[in-house]
Amino acid sequence: MKMKSDPNIAQAADLVAQTLRGEQDAPVVRGFFHEPTFTASYVVHDPATKSAAIIDSVLDFDQPSGRTATEFADQMIAYIREGGLEVDFILETHAHADHLSAAPYLQGEVGGEIVIGREILTVQEVFGKVFNESAAFVRDGSQFDRLIEDGETLSLGELEFIALHVPGHTPADLAYVVGDAVFVGDTMFMPDYGTARADFPGGDARTLFRSIRRLMALPEDTRVFLCHDYKAPGRNKFVWETTIGAQRARNVHAHDGIDEDDFVAMRTARDATLGMPRLILPSIQINMRAGHLPEPEDNGTRYLKLPLNSL
């Protein structure tokens, strides 16, 4: 399938090529895996300046008791402090449906702007209605410190992030390219596991396929860091790093040569068999607020809603 030239991909590919040619340092990437939600979170830093970004953080949440905790986020904080890193950004690839973001807690401990794609406004509008949010919940993205557009760049010391809009899983998904690395959120999983679902409100399998092909236009040596791993059949350990070349050659759902219509048919049929993520209702309520918990009611307690027969 021949794809049209994309100036943002060309820019991102050029950044990657510069790293591969040795013209800039590759970012240092440290992954942290939260097994209860199968989520990979990252601390990324520029080795020259120690400027850092946190990507897709997790707040521990015990649903039966309604209790939150910060044990997982504290591991990231310890790593940041031990390495003498300075956090500039706390990046979200999208409003996750399977875990709560720890962004506000991390910001309070180590600083950094909380950043997400501008299409979060679409998510806020859709789920603001699902949860019957009052006018107090504004749908303008102001809960975040910065909303970024497709192709926009963020400086990380001597390195540069470029944001790529890769909708399909949700309308608001972003991937972040920095140096020789790309953080793809939920667009793709390990090659032996395939691709993300596309049946959430605003999701679309055809759009997801095109977003994946957009990412696969990056150089084959690009390191790909995933947001989740669930262990494919026959694999007994969690892994969350691969390459664009491996995805193009072996991704079971979207390798080179897969037809778009075939992908859409496969993804649609597969999604029809999937139940809702276990934490979707608490996660979306929190994450569309940039990780902030709902305001306490007059008794001092915060509450999450559980809409019945809505999803």
Side-chain angles (χ1 to χ4, degrees):
M1 174 178 162
K2 187 176 181 180
M3 303 296 291
K4 293 181 179 178
S5 176
D6 186 322
N8 294 327
I9 279 289
Q11 182 185 4
D14 184 61
L15 290 174
V16 174
Q18 289 177 37
T19 302
L20 297 177
R21 291 195 302 266
E23 295 179 15
Q24 61 173 297
D25 290 330
V28 177
V29 180
R30 170 71 156 84
F32 296 80
F33 193 72
H34 187 253
E35 189 168 340
T37 61
F38 308 103
T39 303
S41 302
Y42 300 96
V43 176
V44 185
H45 78 267
D46 171 20
T49 66
K50 296 200 171 182
S51 295
I54 299 168
I55 301 178
D56 289 337
S57 64
V58 179
L59 182 71
D60 296 300
F61 177 61
D62 180 65
Q63 189 170 23
S65 68
R67 292 190 175 275
T68 62
T70 61
E71 181 179 346
F72 182 74
D74 287 338
Q75 294 176 36
M76 304 178 81
I77 291 168
Y79 172 80
I80 288 163
R81 290 176 174 164
E82 289 168 6
L85 306 181
E86 185 72 28
V87 176
D88 292 338
F89 304 109
I90 301 172
L91 305 175
E92 302 285 2
T93 56
H94 62 297
H96 304 272
D98 40 32
H99 69 267
L100 279 61
S101 171
Y105 173 72
L106 288 164
Q107 185 178 58
E109 294 293 320
V110 296
E113 289 185 283
I114 302 175
V115 180
I116 201 167
R118 182 165 294 278
E119 288 300 316
I120 188 63
L121 274 66
T122 302
V123 175
Q124 289 182 332
E125 186 63 32
V126 170
F127 281 96
K129 294 176 181 176
V130 169
F131 294 112
N132 196 32
E133 295 285 353
S134 70
F137 173 64
V138 293
R139 280 81 157 165
D140 62 0
S142 57
Q143 299 86 350
F144 299 83
D145 296 313
R146 188 185 299 196
L147 306 183
I148 54 176
E149 307 272 5
D150 183 42
E152 192 170 341
T153 58
L154 300 169
S155 295
L156 188 75
E158 297 177 3
L159 302 177
E160 192 172 52
F161 276 98
I162 180 169
L164 300 178
H165 186 213
V166 286
H169 173 60
T170 79
D173 283 67
L174 286 182
Y176 297 100
V177 178
V178 56
D180 67 337
V182 60
F183 298 84
V184 299
D186 285 9
T187 54
M188 295 184 285
F189 301 132
M190 288 299 292
D192 60 359
Y193 202 87
T195 59
R197 65 193 298 168
D199 61 332
F200 293 153
D204 181 77
R206 193 170 300 278
T207 302
L208 176 63
F209 180 83
R210 294 175 182 177
S211 292
I212 290 169
R213 297 312 304 174
R214 190 180 192 217
L215 290 168
M216 287 187 179
L218 290 165
E220 291 194 355
D221 290 343
T222 304
R223 293 182 290 165
V224 177
F225 293 95
L226 311 170
C227 191
H228 297 287
D229 186 57
Y230 303 99
K231 293 183 183 175
R235 175 158 53 84
N236 60 10
K237 67 177 182 177
F238 294 108
V239 285
W240 50 88
E241 179 182 349
T242 181
T243 66
I244 289 293
Q247 293 283 20
R248 291 183 61 179
R250 299 192 298 277
N251 187 288
V252 294
H253 295 164
H255 60 76
D256 285 355
I258 292 289
D259 177 77
E260 180 175 310
D261 289 338
D262 290 341
F263 174 85
V264 171
M266 176 281 300
R267 190 69 267 170
T268 302
R270 185 178 177 89
D271 290 350
T273 70
L274 302 177
M276 285 290 103
R278 179 175 59 88
L279 294 180
I280 185 171
L281 294 174
S283 294
I284 295 294
Q285 285 178 83
I286 300 302
N287 296 338
M288 70 183 184
R289 291 176 162 86
H292 297 284
L293 302 178
E295 290 299 313
E297 297 192 8
D298 55 11
N299 63 354
T301 300
R302 303 174 191 270
Y303 292 89
L304 294 170
K305 291 184 177 180
L306 184 67
L308 300 178
N309 305 315
S310 294
L311 296 180

